[in-house]
Amino acid sequence: MTALGTHHGDTGASDPGPCAGGELPVNPFLALRVAFGMLLGEDDFRVLIGNPRGKLMLHQAWQHGPGVVWGLPVRRHGDELRVGAGLGVDGLGREVRLESSWCLSLAEWAKTWIEAHPAEPDGEGTAAGPAPTDRTHGEDDGDGDGDDDEPGPPGHRTLRAWIVAEFASCLDRPVPALADPCDVTRRHDDFSRIVESARITVREDPPPPRLPYRRVRVLLGLAEPRQDDPADQEARTTAEQVARVPAGQRAEALLAAFRWLAAKDVTELAPEREQGEACPTWAPVTEDHAGIPLAELTVEITEYDGCVRVGDVAVDPYVRTAVLPTTTLQELVCGLAPGLLGAAGETDAGGPRVIPASLAWNEDMTSFSFKVTKPLAAGSAEPESVEISSLSAHGRGWATDEVDEVQLTADGRTVVVDLDQPPAYETVRIRIHGTGPKPLFGRDPQVPLAGLVGGPPGGRHEGHDAVITHHLPRSARESAAGRTEA
């Protein structure tokens, strides 16, 4: 971690513990109880201060999380990197305020970085293992006459770092005080104020990601489920179940799934522990991970004859997290209301739906079947109720495949479609009508096919077509004989 730069009031970071010397105490679960005639000392006042302060930090750290409240822009101005004034909340729930701009000389920082990371002959030109792309100064050219006085060609490196805002504080306003009899220095004054501010650091390693509520993120599509993680697969299965619920009931189903998975996530949530510590602290993260990431910094530098020249500089603020006010969150949630209210207002007529996973072909590809969720009315399944076409993989376009006959099983839940010959090509598109003059119709209630399972609500007068795209195995197509293309 690099702490170069200029900023008034730059001091060491605060210790969140309750007995941190000159720092303000933090006691979220310890309160002062007073009674008439009780003699109060310094420790009692520290408890009095530390309880509300600790509760505020506890609430902000766990209920809101770290991030930028306003400002703290990171920009390049010539050779300087500047961080503007702003406010944030760190991982321990402390307000981090930068009152004035903080500046860093990029050339000085790059030179210090290079001194700390000497070039390796076989390394790559990155911050993790920086190395010049050409021969460095004083390197032997292979003829045995190495000349240290003649500089070699310039070397190039790409440095990556992360700009982080950390909590800092300093003592202020000394006032007269009674000397402690045990203090050999016999001090007669002490500081009466602690000024809280920010310290900007440049870190070599990216901030560790902290993304709690993993199951909920998978449910809402914010995280890709991992194949080897049972919790992720559970959330993926739940999301698929919610998607199959009729649109008018989906909001209620999603809420139930959200509460169920969030309950599991919060049960497994725990504070981060320092290495070797047996008991967790009250905070979600440790002091080392409490900083607020502001930006990722990428710097192109050139080394030549002991000099460092800064080239292109990219400042990417994507790593920062914004802490949004509750009123803004309320309004953003209301932005989803029209879609939810519209979906809830549409009532599904209860028509049968096609189950896509039930599609099955016979061996010679001249017949296929599929299942529906409710029995179909006898006589509603006709050849005009199903359309099938196939697409060439070699640019020949679409081919229309003729339906010879459509039959229903006795229970009305399985539809068998016979073709006059196998599909022309491997990519097959099947369209099962829930609209038009001859759709599949339900037996009870007698309403048109509502489409696929999980689709939008189907109406009493007009349903939805169910469309399935299926890729036939090449081996099966090659074994299908007698195909005549139209």
Side-chain angles (χ1 to χ4, degrees):
M1 178 168 57
T2 306
L4 296 175
T6 57
H7 168 59
H8 297 291
D10 224 11
T11 65
S14 160
D15 184 342
C19 302
E23 302 298 341
L24 289 175
V26 178
N27 299 306
F29 306 113
L30 181 63
L32 178 66
R33 178 191 178 277
V34 297
F36 180 78
M38 185 180 292
L39 181 63
L40 302 179
E42 176 187 356
D43 182 65
D44 299 300
F45 281 97
R46 292 183 64 83
V47 171
L48 182 64
I49 296 171
N51 182 256
R53 174 180 169 83
K55 288 190 178 298
L56 175 62
M57 291 172 58
L58 182 73
H59 175 83
Q60 293 196 139
W62 284 103
Q63 299 297 103
H64 298 290
V68 176
V69 177
W70 65 267
L72 297 173
V74 182
R75 300 187 180 94
R76 179 189 182 183
H77 293 268
D79 179 58
E80 285 188 339
L81 185 72
R82 296 183 182 178
V83 180
L87 177 68
V89 177
D90 73 356
L92 297 180
R94 300 170 298 195
E95 292 88 354
V96 178
R97 183 190 69 156
L98 186 63
E99 190 174 8
S100 58
S101 296
W102 173 92
C103 303
L104 171 69
S105 170
L106 290 171
E108 182 182 352
W109 169 76
K111 186 175 181 180
T112 303
W113 186 295
I114 291 172
E115 291 174 353
H117 302 80
E120 298 179 4
D122 297 326
E124 297 182 1
T126 63
T133 58
D134 302 300
R135 183 166 56 91
T136 57
H137 171 67
E139 183 181 355
D140 194 344
D141 58 9
D143 59 4
D145 298 327
D147 187 2
D148 291 340
D149 297 329
E150 181 180 347
H156 305 281
R157 300 189 192 184
T158 301
L159 306 184
R160 294 179 64 205
W162 285 262
I163 312 302
V164 178
E166 299 177 347
F167 178 85
S169 63
C170 61
L171 300 175
D172 192 26
R173 194 176 177 184
V175 298
L178 296 176
D180 187 346
C182 300
D183 185 3
V184 296
T185 63
R186 310 300 292 174
R187 289 184 55 186
H188 291 275
D189 61 6
D190 207 342
F191 294 99
S192 62
R193 302 289 187 271
I194 292 179
V195 180
E196 299 180 348
S197 60
R199 177 180 63 199
I200 306 299
T201 59
V202 183
R203 297 192 176 186
E204 302 176 11
D205 300 320
R210 179 174 172 80
L211 299 173
Y213 295 93
R214 172 81 187 179
R215 292 181 181 86
V216 173
R217 293 176 183 274
V218 173
L219 172 68
L220 301 180
L222 300 177
E224 190 69 22
R226 296 170 294 207
Q227 295 297 327
D228 58 346
D229 191 325
D232 282 19
Q233 292 304 310
E234 177 186 34
R236 181 187 63 82
T237 302
T238 303
E240 293 173 350
Q241 293 172 350
V242 172
R244 289 194 293 267
V245 174
Q249 306 169 15
R250 198 170 299 154
E252 183 179 354
L254 178 59
L255 177 61
F258 176 88
R259 288 175 173 172
W260 179 54
L261 294 178
K264 292 195 169 189
D265 281 334
V266 77
T267 303
E268 297 176 1
L269 199 60
E272 185 181 33
R273 301 186 185 186
E274 293 278 6
Q275 188 174 6
E277 282 192 359
C279 299
T281 62
W282 59 268
V285 297
T286 61
E287 179 72 32
D288 291 340
H289 298 155
I292 308 170
L294 301 181
E296 180 182 354
L297 180 66
T298 305
V299 182
E300 303 288 343
I301 65 168
T302 302
E303 302 174 74
Y304 182 71
D305 196 19
C307 298
V308 178
R309 180 180 178 181
V310 177
D312 294 337
V313 177
V315 179
D316 194 340
Y318 83 95
V319 297
R320 68 169 57 195
T321 299
V323 180
L324 300 179
T326 304
T327 52
T328 302
L329 294 176
Q330 292 174 177
E331 294 173 356
L332 294 177
V333 171
C334 288
L336 301 175
L340 293 176
L341 295 176
E346 299 179 25
T347 303
D348 188 89
R353 293 179 179 272
V354 175
I355 305 172
S358 66
L359 180 67
W361 290 79
N362 65 354
E363 291 184 3
D364 60 1
M365 301 296 157
T366 58
S367 176
F368 65 88
S369 64
F370 59 87
K371 296 181 181 299
V372 292
T373 56
K374 294 181 178 180
L376 295 172
S380 69
E382 296 190 0
E384 294 83 1
S385 303
V386 180
E387 292 182 78
I388 179 170
S389 57
S390 56
L391 178 65
S392 170
H394 304 288
R396 298 176 184 172
W398 289 93
T400 301
D401 301 287
E402 297 296 331
V403 175
D404 186 40
E405 186 181 10
V406 178
Q407 305 177 57
L408 292 179
T409 57
D411 61 359
R413 289 179 176 270
T414 302
V415 180
V416 180
V417 180
D418 295 323
L419 308 178
D420 64 346
Q421 56 184 331
Y425 306 115
E426 289 85 1
T427 302
V428 179
R429 182 176 173 86
I430 303 170
R431 187 183 189 93
I432 305 156
H433 286 278
T435 62
K438 294 185 177 182
L440 293 182
F441 234 69
R443 182 187 301 173
D444 185 19
Q446 282 201 337
V447 293
L449 182 78
L452 294 173
V453 170
R460 185 166 61 92
H461 303 288
E462 189 79 316
H464 297 285
D465 293 345
V467 180
I468 303 175
T469 300
H470 187 77
H471 297 278
L472 298 178
R474 179 175 295 274
S475 58
R477 281 288 300 117
E478 291 174 351
S479 63
R483 169 67 201 186
T484 303
E485 295 186 24

